């Protein structure tokens, strides 16, 4: 076969009646009269058996013609005729008729198929070549070309920067409504959070004044806890694992505003979102710790333990302080020359002294004892609480907790209840044993071997 490569998209097996209509279908499509020239097929149009069928890549249409003799078709002195009024027959079953010839595939000679396969290009592309033989990347279209082509097809393509510009404008309009469009605001916050997961987008959000235009106005909406919660989640997403965003937020007085938002929050969702943002800012950032972990800051954090919110949110406060302590110890213990600056930064926070001065050990022990009944059925929260307490006891709370009978009593209550419930759920047995081992380690470290009775 001598076919132009730019049209070559062969269906290498001959579609013997593949578009034919069985008798009795009632199709109104005209019968296809095959010749030795390619002819376009209409959708659903029946064709006789033994034709060569292809898809024209230029038009996207199916085309068919008689097989050439070299491809296994009839000789030039034979012809294909159709009897008027006679319906097309189904394909012969496998193993019967012409299809049973092992040297053919649907009537096409295997040798002809092999030759056709040789003509198909294998991942070759034409590229412009500049002087000196250097290929020019003409295969790749620019952003503007793609954008224009999609625009011509009624599909609009926008960059993240353009999307953010639109979101800013839509947000300003949404806040002007009284009351604000709740559904529109939720969609806007969701889209902004998605963009802010990328570090560059988060920095761009801050540089464009997103904190001043979106976050702070949202946090100042009294009587709209849902908008305040979404704004805090957005702020938390922006500063998570993004040192430059943390610095930029502190430079914009973000720390005190965030601390105030945490202090004003009263619902579980809002406090949880505020802790998410506050923790994202202070973790692994000694400058923010020095600014925010002050007596006032600790008072706000300890105050969450007294609010009427879900226990899981209160445990987050303990986990946050434990995480900050672990980071502090790791930085101080580092001995490399490159760690000297980091050590000095963490030392300047005076974290242990601040916790001791605000009686963290006393407040945390009271919280632990006060919520022991709520912790008993919550294996996951018990696990998280005990691990956080283990992190805090080292060089900080070991002495006060070891002298506190209520702290010991709470540990043994949780341990014994876990022991009694080990076999209640087969899938949780190993997990509960692990929690029990953690409690035992803490009890032994603080008080020595536990007694059987309380």
């Amino acid at each position: 076969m001598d076919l132009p490569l730019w049209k070559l998209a062969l269906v290498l097996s001959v579609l013997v009646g593949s578009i034919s209509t069985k008798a009795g279908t009632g199709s109104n499509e005209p019968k296809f009269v095959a010749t030795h020239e390619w002819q376009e097929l209409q959708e659903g149009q029946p064709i006789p058996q033994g034709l060569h069928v292809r898809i024209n890549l230029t038009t996207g249409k199916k085309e068919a013609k008689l097989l050439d003799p070299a491809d296994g078709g009839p000789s030039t002195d034979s012809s294909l005729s159709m009897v008027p009024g006679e319906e097309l027959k189904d394909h012969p079953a496998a193993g019967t008729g012409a299809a049973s010839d092992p040297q053919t595939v649907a009537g096409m000679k295997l040798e002809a198929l092999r030759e056709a396969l040789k003509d198909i290009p294998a991942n070759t592309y034409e590229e412009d070549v500049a002087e000196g033989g250097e290929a020019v990347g003409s295969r790749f279209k620019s952003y503007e070309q793609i954008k224009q082509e999609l625009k011509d097809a009624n599909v609009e393509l926008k960059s993240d920067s353009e999307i953010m510009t639109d979101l800013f404008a839509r947000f300003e309009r949404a806040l002007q409504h009284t009351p604000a469009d709740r559904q529109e605001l939720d969609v806007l916050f969701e889209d902004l959070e998605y963009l802010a997961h990328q570090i560059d987008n988060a920095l761009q959000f801050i540089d464009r004044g997103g904190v001043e235009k979106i976050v702070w106005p949202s946090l100042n909406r009294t009587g709209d806890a849902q908008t305040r919660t979404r704004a805090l989640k957005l702020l938390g997403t922006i500063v998570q694992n993004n040192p430059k965003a943390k610095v930029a937020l502190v430079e914009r007085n973000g720390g005190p505003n965030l601390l105030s938002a945490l202090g004003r929050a009263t619902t579980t969702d809002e406090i949880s979102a505020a802790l998410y943002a506050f923790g994202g800012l202070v973790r692994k950032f000694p400058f923010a710790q020095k600014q925010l972990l002050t007596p006032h800051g600790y008072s706000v954090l300890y105050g969450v333990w007294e609010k009427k919110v879900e226990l899981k949110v209160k445990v987050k406060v303990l986990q946050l302080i434990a995480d900050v302590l672990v980071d502090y110890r790791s930085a101080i213990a580092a001995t490399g020359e490159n760690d000297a600056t980091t050590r000095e930064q963490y030392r300047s926070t005076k974290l242990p002294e601040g916790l001791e001065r605000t009686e963290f050990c006393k407040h945390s022990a009271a919280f632990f004892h006060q919520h022991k009944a709520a912790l008993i059925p919550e294996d996951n929260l018990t696990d998280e609480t005990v691990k956080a307490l283990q992190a805090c006891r080292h060089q900080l709370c070991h002495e006060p907790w070891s002298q506190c009978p209520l702290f010991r009593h709470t540990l043994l209550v949780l341990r014994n209840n876990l022991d009694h419930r080990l076999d209640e759920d087969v899938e949780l047995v190993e997990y509960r044993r692990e929690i029990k081992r953690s409690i035992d380690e803490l009890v032994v470290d603080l008080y020595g071997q536990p007694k059987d009775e309380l």
Side-chain angles (χ1 to χ4, degrees):
M1 288 185 297
D2 187 14
L3 295 177
L5 291 178
W6 61 273
K7 282 189 174 181
L8 190 58
L10 294 175
V11 178
L12 293 179
S13 62
V14 178
L15 305 181
V16 185
S18 63
I19 316 179
S20 63
T21 304
K22 294 183 179 180
T25 59
S27 173
N28 293 323
E29 294 290 343
K31 297 292 189 298
F32 182 85
V33 180
T35 67
H36 286 283
E37 300 296 326
W38 290 107
Q39 298 182 68
E40 185 176 309
L41 292 171
Q42 302 300 319
E43 187 67 23
Q45 184 178 21
I47 63 172
Q49 303 178 18
L51 298 187
H52 190 169
V53 181
R54 76 176 184 184
I55 297 177
N56 189 320
L57 288 180
T58 303
T59 64
K61 302 292 185 180
K62 292 179 181 178
E63 297 177 337
K65 71 171 185 176
L66 291 171
L67 283 171
D68 295 330
D71 295 332
S75 61
T76 55
D77 61 347
S78 63
S79 63
L80 177 68
S81 62
M82 296 183 64
V83 179
E86 182 176 351
E87 297 292 345
L88 297 175
K89 294 181 174 59
D90 295 338
H91 300 301
T96 63
S100 63
D101 186 350
Q103 298 302 315
T104 64
V105 176
M108 179 180 283
K109 290 182 179 179
L110 291 178
E111 188 61 32
L113 280 172
R114 295 189 185 99
E115 292 299 322
L117 287 171
K118 293 179 182 179
D119 294 333
I120 297 178
N123 296 329
T124 57
Y125 304 91
E126 294 183 1
E127 291 189 347
D128 297 334
V129 180
E131 292 184 7
E134 183 179 356
V136 179
S138 60
R139 286 186 295 160
F140 305 102
K141 298 181 180 179
S142 68
Y143 168 73
E144 292 300 328
Q145 286 177 307
I146 297 173
K147 184 177 179 180
Q148 183 59 46
E149 290 177 5
L150 290 175
K151 185 176 181 180
D152 294 340
N154 294 323
V155 177
E156 191 172 9
L157 179 66
K158 291 184 178 181
S159 66
D160 286 353
S161 178
E162 292 169 328
I163 293 173
M164 193 175 295
T165 299
D166 291 345
L167 293 175
F168 273 43
R170 286 171 55 193
F171 192 92
E172 186 176 354
R173 291 193 299 268
L175 283 183
Q176 291 174 353
H177 294 143
T178 306
D181 187 341
R182 176 76 267 150
Q183 185 175 3
E184 172 73 357
L185 285 176
D186 287 342
V187 171
L188 290 171
F189 275 119
E190 185 175 346
D191 290 344
L192 287 170
E193 280 186 59
Y194 175 79
L195 289 173
H197 275 95
Q198 296 186 35
I199 291 177
D200 292 342
N201 289 338
L203 295 175
Q204 190 176 117
F205 176 89
I206 295 176
D207 291 341
R208 289 186 172 206
V211 174
E212 294 83 359
K213 296 176 181 178
I214 294 178
V215 177
W216 299 152
S218 298
L219 294 182
N220 289 330
R221 291 178 66 85
T222 58
D224 190 355
Q226 190 169 347
T227 297
R228 295 196 303 268
T229 301
R230 296 305 300 261
L232 288 166
K233 287 182 179 178
L234 173 59
L235 193 59
T237 301
I238 290 170
V239 298
Q240 285 295 319
N241 301 316
N242 194 337
K244 291 184 179 180
K246 294 182 182 186
V247 172
L249 186 62
V250 168
E251 291 174 346
R252 288 162 172 76
N253 202 38
N257 288 341
L258 185 52
L259 192 60
S260 296
L262 175 59
R264 293 194 304 266
T266 56
T267 67
T268 293
D269 289 342
E270 188 175 357
I271 293 177
S272 178
L275 286 171
Y276 171 61
F278 187 84
L281 180 60
V282 301
R283 283 185 173 95
K284 299 186 182 301
F285 190 23
F287 185 81
Q289 294 174 18
K290 188 175 181 179
Q291 183 186 43
L292 299 176
L293 296 182
T294 62
H296 172 64
Y298 287 124
S299 177
V300 172
L301 289 173
Y302 302 160
V304 174
W305 288 336
E306 303 300 328
K307 293 183 178 182
K308 295 181 179 180
V309 293
E310 293 181 21
L311 180 59
K312 63 181 181 180
V313 176
K314 298 181 179 184
V315 172
K316 286 184 178 181
V317 174
L318 188 62
Q319 289 179 304
L320 170 59
I321 295 175
D323 290 345
V324 173
L325 266 172
V326 170
D327 289 341
Y328 176 88
R329 294 194 189 103
S330 297
I332 298 301
T335 57
E337 294 182 2
N338 296 332
D339 299 317
T341 301
T342 302
R343 284 198 302 272
E344 290 306 314
Q345 289 175 344
Y346 273 91
R347 281 198 180 100
S348 69
T349 65
K350 299 185 183 302
L351 183 67
E353 294 87 345
L355 289 169
E356 185 176 358
R357 186 167 58 251
T358 56
E359 297 184 306
F360 162 74
C361 299
K362 175 183 175 181
H363 289 294
S364 57
F367 157 73
F368 185 45
H369 176 69
Q370 182 181 355
H371 294 86
K372 68 176 182 298
L375 285 170
I376 288 174
E378 300 290 342
D379 294 338
N380 187 54
L381 290 181
T382 299
D383 184 28
E384 293 174 353
T385 300
V386 172
K387 287 179 179 177
L389 293 172
Q390 286 178 320
C392 295
R393 83 183 189 280
H394 181 65
Q395 294 180 352
L396 181 66
C397 294
H398 188 283
E399 183 177 352
W401 287 349
S402 65
Q403 298 175 5
C404 179
L406 288 178
F407 194 88
R408 176 179 180 273
H409 172 75
T410 303
L411 285 172
L412 294 180
V413 167
L414 293 176
R415 175 190 179 278
N416 290 342
N417 273 277
L418 278 169
D419 196 29
H420 295 153
R421 294 186 298 115
L422 280 180
D423 299 328
E424 287 182 0
D425 190 329
V426 176
E427 295 181 356
L428 294 177
V429 169
E430 191 55 40
Y431 180 50
R432 286 173 176 167
R433 284 177 178 167
E434 181 181 341
I435 301 173
K436 181 172 170 287
R437 283 193 293 268
S438 296
I439 296 176
D440 285 341
E441 290 175 4
L442 187 55
V443 169
V444 170
D445 182 63
L446 292 174
Y447 313 103
Q449 292 296 332
K451 298 179 180 180
D452 293 335
E453 65 277 5
L454 298 181

